[in-house]
Amino acid sequence: MSPTSEKTKESMGVDPFERNWMIFSIGMLVVFFTLVTVAGFALGFQVPGVETKVDPRTVTVDPASPFSEPGLRKVSEGNYEAYVVARTFSYEPREIEVPVGSKVTIYVTSPDVQHGFKVQDTNINMQIVPGQVSKLEYTFDRVGEFPYICTEFCGIGHAAMFGVVKVVQPGEGGDQ
Ligand code: CUA
């Protein structure tokens, strides 16, 4: 074996400083991969997906569209669907009330420009793009009021876009 090939074997053929950085980088990839896997599968982090594509010109007026009557629908005990329209410059509905422990699948769309939908003190944060329906599932397991706000600058009334999820004790409230 020539001295050159021995040296190659020890250092992977690269400068030790560079090799250490390569090892560090690969280590970081492993750490990030692990964190993303734990967040996704153990902690329930979801990337808000594009549920369906819709025509933004008709999505709120077509009687066949659930967004023609935005609001909360009870699917079964403890299971709800919320259809929310984000438009300049308000949300419809402005208030969603569910009993504590409810799992709510939230669908949001926009008939005009891009908006956001972020629910305070939860990990719900979606971008709302005209022509698409954004969807996230969340279990509201704490009683309280969770305001939702627009997080994408959408025009002069951007700051006026807000609403609230009211999580109440079962039996309280009226519109369920
Ligand atoms: Cu809607 Cu900002």
Side-chain angles (χ1 to χ4, degrees):
M1 215 182 256
S2 74
T4 322
S5 67
E6 257 178 47
K7 195 182 170 210
T8 305
K9 204 175 166 191
E10 267 173 32
S11 65
M12 297 172 3
V14 294
D15 184 86
F17 182 74
E18 195 174 345
R19 181 200 56 198
N20 290 344
W21 274 110
M22 284 165 70
I23 293 170
F24 176 75
S25 310
I26 292 167
M28 291 304 283
L29 284 178
V30 172
V31 168
F32 289 145
F33 182 80
T34 309
L35 288 179
V36 169
T37 307
V38 168
F41 291 98
L43 303 177
F45 280 56
Q46 305 165 58
V47 177
V50 179
E51 173 63 6
T52 38
K53 300 221 168 186
V54 289
D55 186 339
R57 291 163 299 185
T58 58
V59 69
T60 58
V61 287
D62 180 358
S65 158
F67 294 99
S68 63
E69 270 182 71
L72 192 71
R73 322 262 203 277
K74 189 172 185 170
V75 181
S76 62
E77 206 50 56
N79 256 308
Y80 293 85
E81 284 178 347
Y83 290 89
V84 179
V85 174
R87 59 158 61 90
T88 49
F89 295 103
S90 64
Y91 289 108
E92 204 182 342
R94 198 144 225 186
E95 191 179 307
I96 296 170
E97 188 176 301
V98 289
V100 66
S102 299
K103 190 175 89 179
V104 186
T105 310
I106 304 167
Y107 300 89
V108 194
T109 196
S110 160
D112 41 47
V113 298
Q114 177 172 304
H115 297 280
F117 185 83
K118 175 183 162 58
V119 184
Q120 198 175 321
D121 297 333
T122 71
N123 61 0
I124 303 170
N125 192 355
M126 298 190 269
Q127 187 178 33
I128 313 304
V129 178
Q132 296 182 0
V133 176
S134 303
K135 174 191 173 189
L136 262 186
E137 225 176 70
Y138 189 81
T139 302
F140 289 91
D141 47 16
R142 278 175 300 147
V143 170
E145 296 198 355
F146 301 87
Y148 45 88
I149 56 162
C150 184
T151 48
E152 303 271 347
F153 184 72
C154 52
I156 192 80
H158 163 70
M161 281 191 73
F162 63 90
V164 65
V165 179
K166 290 186 172 173
V167 183
V168 300
Q169 292 291 354
E172 278 180 21
D175 57 343
Q176 298 149 33

